[in-house]
Amino acid sequence: MVNIKLFEFIGRHSCGSEDNQNMLIHGDNNEVLDLLKLQYSGSIKCIYIDPPYNNGEKYTHYDDDKEHDKWIGEITETLIKLRPLLNEEGSIWISIDDSEVHYLKVAADEIFGRKSFITTVVWEHRTSRENRKVFSNNHEYILVYAKNTKKFKLARNLLPATPEIIDRYKNPDKDPRGPWQSISASVQAGHAVKSQFYEIVAPNGKKHLPPNGRCWVYNKERMEHEILNNNIWFGKDGNGVPRIKKFLSKGTIGVTPETLWLASDVGTTNSAKKHLLTLFPNKAVFDTPKPENLIKRILDIATNEGEIVLDAYLGSGTTSAVAHKMNRKYIGIERGLHIVDIVLPRMRNVIGGEEGGISKEISWTGGGGFRFFELKQNKRLSLKENNNVYQLNPLVKKNKIE
Ligand SMILES: C[S@@+](CC[C@H](N)C(=O)[O-])C[C@H]1O[C@@H](n2cnc3c(N)ncnc32)[C@H](O)[C@@H]1O
């Protein structure tokens, strides 16, 4: 039995319709996670965490200055508790900077397994130069691990194609299937099998061998079938190197995510601060917020509508705000009082149709709700709502346990 008590202050802090599963929890994540595992094991699609980086700073809302051993010990403990919450297609994304990234990678490898490591994203977190330092450090990292690499690979989304990408689709042969672009019909020969080396005969009789060190992507039979079906392009005059026609109308046109995330695409720490300042011009600004576009990109890749996102270091509430606007369910945990001072008003703004961050891009107009819980170290595991105590699932009110 976990020695923890959760109170919900409904009416005072919860907001919007009650029939939602969005939870904001004020408390230390290590204790809250002990509670969450009872109900959420194997059900979270994406965990994003942005822990204190241990960079020696003392920020307005939290300290970021610990002995390395203590810091790595604590984050290790948190990661151990987070892993079982992921579902089979789930992934965890961990923000970190230069000073601890390598130690954190080794610690995370031990918990998730080196084979579960997906990649390190490099985020250009500032565009101004810091001239007082030896190097002006303008990037951070996001370590990405999957619960099950194969399943994550199948489940992860491509990123939406930009207008420039869509513009590359043309229709020079007036194909009734609509615009297309050509992609190479050959691949590197490294893992090739014998049936990929042959001579292609174009409709005009011209013969084509694969370029040096390459082989055809299809075997001969499949290639002939594709040529017959007008799926191979030999250039306007019919003499060009064979290429595959990829149609805009077929399936989702998306792009494979890359690992270098530029400020121009996903924002900077400063742009995130400016967004917060527009929301709360009279409050001390939160020093280390993430821009909404950065979190949107993570959720675009790792989740679909209705799936659950967890952030165990919520800070100013960027993850909950973005998840809410993107119609994901979310759980946010924060131990600082700024969950009341910053996150709650931010989320109320979001529900009211706040126009900053990613709102315009996704045509956000407001709606929905969240429930607010307070963790109390007390006699036993419970949820309290207006003096009634319930099991953890906020929707299962009939399971009264006290
Ligand atoms: C870098 S900030 C997160 C910023 C956030 N991503 C945003 O966009 O605003 C780290 C946050 O983790 C919180 N934190 C640190 N240790 C914690 C713990 N054990 N449990 C819950 N929150 C914690 C800090 O109070 C701080 O707000």
Side-chain angles (χ1 to χ4, degrees):
M1 179 60 85
V2 187
N3 198 22
I4 286 169
K5 201 164 192 171
L6 268 177
F7 288 100
E8 183 185 5
F9 293 115
I10 194 131
R12 190 152 76 90
H13 287 321
S14 295
C15 185
S17 54
E18 264 192 42
D19 60 339
N20 71 79
Q21 292 169 46
N22 302 326
M23 300 171 84
L24 298 178
I25 306 172
H26 181 206
D28 189 286
N29 58 25
N30 271 296
E31 292 163 346
V32 175
L33 291 171
D34 285 336
L35 272 177
L36 292 184
K37 76 170 178 217
L38 301 172
Q39 191 178 315
Y40 288 93
S41 271
S43 54
I44 308 287
K45 185 70 182 293
C46 173
I47 299 174
Y48 170 71
I49 59 167
D50 179 16
Y53 291 174
N54 205 25
N55 56 16
E57 296 284 347
K58 288 197 188 302
Y59 296 116
T60 312
H61 295 91
Y62 68 98
D63 284 350
D64 199 355
D65 190 12
K66 286 199 169 135
E67 284 290 306
H68 165 77
D69 288 353
K70 190 166 182 328
W71 179 86
I72 198 81
E74 284 179 6
I75 186 87
T76 300
E77 200 184 327
T78 310
L79 292 177
I80 289 170
K81 291 182 182 186
L82 286 170
R83 187 177 180 276
L85 299 179
L86 284 175
N87 68 25
E88 283 299 300
E89 294 177 341
S91 55
I92 178 165
W93 302 62
I94 312 168
S95 275
I96 194 67
D97 75 2
D98 209 27
S99 56
E100 293 281 11
V101 61
H102 307 94
Y103 302 96
L104 185 58
K105 168 78 168 57
V106 172
D109 275 352
E110 277 189 22
I111 297 157
F112 295 97
R114 285 180 74 171
K115 288 201 176 122
S116 297
F117 174 66
I118 301 289
T119 196
T120 307
V121 170
V122 173
W123 168 46
E124 185 191 15
H125 79 117
R126 63 182 293 161
T127 48
S128 55
R129 198 178 292 266
E130 168 57 283
N131 287 315
R132 289 167 298 183
K133 301 268 172 71
V134 180
F135 277 86
S136 178
N137 203 317
N138 61 343
H139 68 280
E140 290 189 0
Y141 303 96
I142 306 174
L143 301 176
V144 188
Y145 288 84
K147 179 76 169 278
N148 176 323
T149 320
K150 279 192 189 139
K151 291 193 176 162
F152 174 73
K153 195 176 170 197
L154 290 174
R156 77 97 175 86
N157 298 315
L158 298 174
L159 290 172
T162 57
E164 298 83 65
I165 289 173
I166 291 174
D167 213 41
R168 283 183 215 146
Y169 288 76
K170 311 275 183 213
N171 198 349
D173 59 348
K174 301 202 170 38
D175 193 309
R177 292 167 290 185
W180 53 271
Q181 72 165 331
S182 72
I183 56 171
S184 177
S186 67
V187 288
Q188 282 193 359
H191 297 286
V193 290
K194 225 175 152 190
S195 62
Q196 287 174 280
F197 297 93
Y198 55 91
E199 205 172 56
I200 292 179
V201 184
N204 69 359
K206 184 166 174 167
K207 293 178 177 153
H208 300 270
L209 281 171
N212 237 346
R214 295 178 74 84
C215 63
W216 299 122
V217 67
Y218 305 135
N219 65 21
K220 192 165 194 248
E221 201 185 354
R222 167 90 189 266
M223 186 62 85
E224 283 171 358
H225 174 82
E226 299 295 331
I227 293 172
L228 263 179
N229 285 291
N230 190 23
N231 289 332
I232 305 296
W233 175 243
F234 290 93
K236 272 196 172 141
D237 59 1
N239 286 323
V241 174
R243 290 176 68 80
I244 295 170
K245 288 164 78 177
K246 192 173 146 209
F247 289 90
L248 184 59
S249 55
K250 274 205 180 153
T252 337
I253 299 297
V255 290
T256 303
E258 290 175 313
T259 50
L260 180 59
W261 293 10
L262 298 177
S264 52
D265 294 326
V266 296
T268 60
T269 307
N270 252 336
S271 68
K273 278 193 198 174
K274 280 185 187 151
H275 177 204
L276 284 182
L277 270 172
T278 60
L279 290 174
F280 311 114
N282 302 317
K283 276 191 183 160
V285 71
F286 189 79
D287 292 303
T288 57
K290 292 293 180 276
E292 289 198 0
N293 278 97
L294 180 81
I295 306 301
K296 177 179 182 290
R297 180 169 282 190
I298 294 172
L299 300 194
D300 270 335
I301 296 168
T303 67
N304 300 304
E305 287 199 10
E307 293 175 332
I308 312 176
V309 177
L310 168 70
D311 185 338
Y313 298 85
L314 192 59
S316 67
T318 312
T319 306
S320 51
V322 172
H324 193 105
K325 292 178 187 177
M326 291 176 73
N327 206 14
R328 272 60 169 169
K329 293 177 190 141
Y330 54 88
I331 302 171
I333 309 167
E334 171 55 56
R335 74 172 173 201
L337 261 178
H338 44 282
I339 193 168
V340 175
D341 295 342
I342 297 176
V343 180
L344 287 176
R346 179 174 186 175
M347 294 308 296
R348 288 198 192 103
N349 269 322
V350 168
I351 287 166
E354 182 254 325
E355 289 179 355
I358 61 165
S359 291
K360 288 215 170 79
E361 196 180 326
I362 60 159
S363 308
W364 172 248
T365 54
F370 62 82
R371 308 189 72 190
F372 183 83
F373 298 88
E374 178 104 359
L375 178 78
K376 288 270 191 264
Q377 296 223 9
N378 213 322
K379 287 161 237 133
R380 62 185 163 113
L381 166 66
S382 58
L383 262 182
K384 201 169 178 190
E385 181 187 66
N386 293 342
N387 291 327
N388 293 323
V389 181
Y390 303 104
Q391 284 182 348
L392 185 61
N393 185 344
L395 295 176
V396 189
K397 290 194 180 169
K398 52 187 179 293
N399 292 340
K400 218 168 170 180
I401 56 168
E402 198 179 75

